[in-house]
Amino acid sequence: MGSEVIDSELKVKSGSENKPQVDGVCGFFASSESVSFRPITTADLDEVMVIERTSFRFPWSSGFFLQELQVACARSILAEIDGQIVGYVLFWLLPGAIDIHNIAVHVDYRRRGIARLLLNKVLAEARNQSAVRVMLEVRRSNWQAQKLYQSLGFFATGVRKGYYSDDGEDAVAMTLDLPSEA
């Protein structure tokens, strides 16, 4: 496979509003200046799959990734630091909304703000598209992700019983309502 851009409509550039922070106890924290963003290409799939397999007990297959990324409304954002892929998010642009389908960060780069930066890029895209809400589902057992989503303003809207077909775990449905520009 070449390096075909799968979702070329999304143009994401890193900002420079924050300087990188270093904390003597916790180490490197990512800022939008130290992380570059771009869509996932087919050439990225092997590295993306390494992150996927180490992030989830029941990872998506590479075929499912390709299928997902070829959906007309699908978009992706890949995060890189010094040329290394450190995370990604996949989402759908729907009429008036964004639905986040998958987000993961490389195990060596977790707890450094990468997921927050990726989610902030999705929220910026939602605002650019005049979306009024962003939705996602998260495993009921994944309280760390739920805390991150809550810190960004997401709230639980319900529980989807047996949502995950791989093991029957429930999902917590979460939504972020975006202010409309009047």
Side-chain angles (χ1 to χ4, degrees), residues 95-107:
I98 284 184
D99 190 11
I100 297 174
H101 289 191
N102 192 339
I103 182 168
V105 173
H106 190 288
V107 67

Side-chain angles (χ1 to χ4, degrees), residues 128-146:
N128 288 342
Q129 297 293 327
S130 301
V132 296
R133 79 181 39 86
V134 180
M135 306 163 298
L136 57 83
E137 288 85 19
V138 58
R139 285 183 180 270
R140 184 176 246 172
S141 63
N142 193 347
W143 58 270
Q144 293 157 321
Q146 291 175 45

Side-chain angles (χ1 to χ4, degrees), residues 84-118:
Q84 180 180 351
I85 297 171
V86 297
Y88 56 86
V89 60
L90 289 92
F91 58 97
W92 283 11
L93 293 176
L94 303 171
I98 284 184
D99 190 11
I100 297 174
H101 289 191
N102 192 339
I103 182 168
V105 173
H106 190 288
V107 67
D108 294 339
Y109 289 86
R110 291 186 187 154
R111 310 288 304 158
R112 297 183 186 189
I114 305 289
R116 181 178 299 277
L117 289 173
L118 284 164

